Amino acid sequence: MIASERKSVLSLAMLYATRMLGLFMVLPVFVLYGSEFEGSTPALIGLAIGAYGLSQALLQIPFGALSDRYGRKVMLYIGLVIFFIGSVVSASSDTIYGVIAGRFIQGAGAIAAVIMALLSDLTSVESRTKAMALVGMSIGVSFTLALILGPLVADLGGLRAIFWLTAALALSALLWSFVAIPNPTVKTKHRDNRVFKDQIRDVLRDSELLRLDFGIFVLHFVLTAMFIAIPVSLVNSAGLPSQDHWWLYLLVLVGSFFCMVPLIIVGEKHHKMKMIFCLAILLVLSSAAAMPLAHSQLGWFVVALFIFFMGFNLLEASLPSLVSKISPAGNKGTAMGVYSTGQFVGAFLGGVVGGMLLDLYTETAVYMFSVCLVSLWLLVALTMENPKHQKTMTVFFRENLDSSEVSSLSDELVRLEGVEDAVVVSDGVAYLKVLSTKLDDNALERLKQQYS
């Protein structure tokens, strides 16, 4: 990755992390401080927590499409302004209904797809995987910081302080995007970055991808729902004051991260990703089952929380990788779009259902519902195929291939040893899914010369 690309990627990673930090900071404290708003109930608090997920899910694809037409940075600015407005609405509200509206508006600044498209514009094909990984790491860092900063800021000024801080973060992100993020000089329109009806249809018909989409839905449903119950258990049952929650989250998040990394390495190196994936689901399942039994004893509850985050971190890291490996060569962008939609819908419904269960019953009901949902996910995951050790490649041929050449080249590519899937588009770009240990590099080079 050259210096200019590295600067652009780091700038976008910081922008994305800043925005996600603003969204996540309320997660560990909303249920504890939500009573400061008139009309609040656990059910409405859950709706307020998850409201951003609904607008995110509805507007990701429209924002991405508008960025193709009017430019990435224009839509980036619009999304950040909307996010700022939503933060101010929440901070200025005296009622829980105003906060719900503000959270919905926050999510309406759905710039995740725009950021990924801009990242694609500003990086070469060879650097793109590393760039995506850096942005993914920034999200993990922002989530960790949010769980630590949320309790600290709320202790100083309640939820309104968090919303005002979020508004300030939105303004800083707006300024940062204006100063530090360049306008792309070339806008690529390769099939990998566009959404077509046939691509969506193919993705929705792929049973392996649907298993993963269901998985990210369940994971973020459970995350949001359990963080309606966990702070209540820590205060009411374990006796840990809310202002001390930050160090607990820091302890379990950092510790679970270091324990998770060796498992990811083993899964990738020894081609055991299905086994590691199912183990991670089992960790989340066992932690959710243990929490109702351990919530009155702080030490055991910390152990259960540690196990939960170890499983969560494993799944959050492995799910996007599995989607990328399983999705057809030319449909990776569409597959990730459907995957992200499932994630945000899960966050929305997790907040709604978790809040309703806490309102009607106790936090134990939230844990047990999560156990049932994760158990279903485990059964679904056990039926998935073990992913092949594949990698994706983008190969460039002569531009402006005619239809007969595209068809002929596609046929020749799929006949190459080691090529599992191939998609060729008319501007001379081929998207390949290959078994790297079996790929006939010499034959591929001869094809490149033939169609150059």
Side-chain angles (χ1 to χ4, degrees), residues 48 58 64 69 118 147 171 209-210 229 280 302 347 439:
L58 293 173
R69 181 167 184 177
L118 184 55
L147 293 189
L171 288 179
L209 285 176
L210 287 176
V302 170
L439 179 63

Side-chain angles (χ1 to χ4, degrees), residues 306-446:
F306 175 85
I307 294 171
F308 173 80
F309 276 114
M310 187 172 172
F312 175 82
N313 288 332
L314 269 168
L315 293 164
E316 192 76 358
S318 59
L319 273 165
S321 174
L322 289 171
V323 171
S324 179
K325 289 178 180 178
I326 291 174
S327 60
N331 286 357
K332 185 165 61 176
T334 306
M336 290 304 298
V338 174
Y339 167 88
S340 297
T341 300
Q343 172 183 335
F344 290 123
V345 172
F348 167 67
L349 291 178
V352 172
V353 174
M356 290 176 61
L357 289 173
L358 186 62
D359 198 8
L360 295 173
Y361 306 103
T362 64
E363 60 266 32
T364 297
V366 180
Y367 299 136
M368 297 316 298
F369 189 90
S370 299
V371 167
C372 294
L373 197 55
V374 178
S375 297
L376 177 60
W377 180 18
L378 181 59
L379 292 176
V380 171
L382 288 172
T383 65
M384 68 184 284
E385 297 179 3
N386 196 33
K388 297 178 181 179
H389 193 58
Q390 299 173 327
K391 69 175 184 178
T392 57
M393 293 179 60
T394 304
V395 184
F396 296 92
F397 297 91
R398 187 182 74 250
E399 293 185 3
N400 300 320
L401 296 173
D402 60 40
S403 58
S404 62
E405 287 177 312
V406 169
S407 177
S408 176
L409 178 57
S410 299
D411 291 339
E412 293 186 67
L413 283 170
V414 294
R415 285 198 294 266
L416 289 181
E417 184 179 2
V419 175
E420 295 281 296
D421 188 16
V423 174
V424 182
V425 291
S426 59
D427 55 0
V429 180
Y431 303 104
L432 309 180
K433 191 178 289 288
V434 303
L435 299 172
S436 54
T437 56
K438 297 182 178 180
L439 179 63
D440 189 340
D441 293 303
N442 293 328
L444 179 60
E445 188 60 34
R446 286 195 295 271

Side-chain angles (χ1 to χ4, degrees), residues 20-29 146 149-150 153 162 165-166 169:
M20 296 310 292
L21 177 63
L23 284 172
F24 285 146
M25 269 196 296
V26 300
L27 194 59
V29 294
L149 291 176
V153 176
I162 290 181
L165 177 58
T166 300
L169 289 173

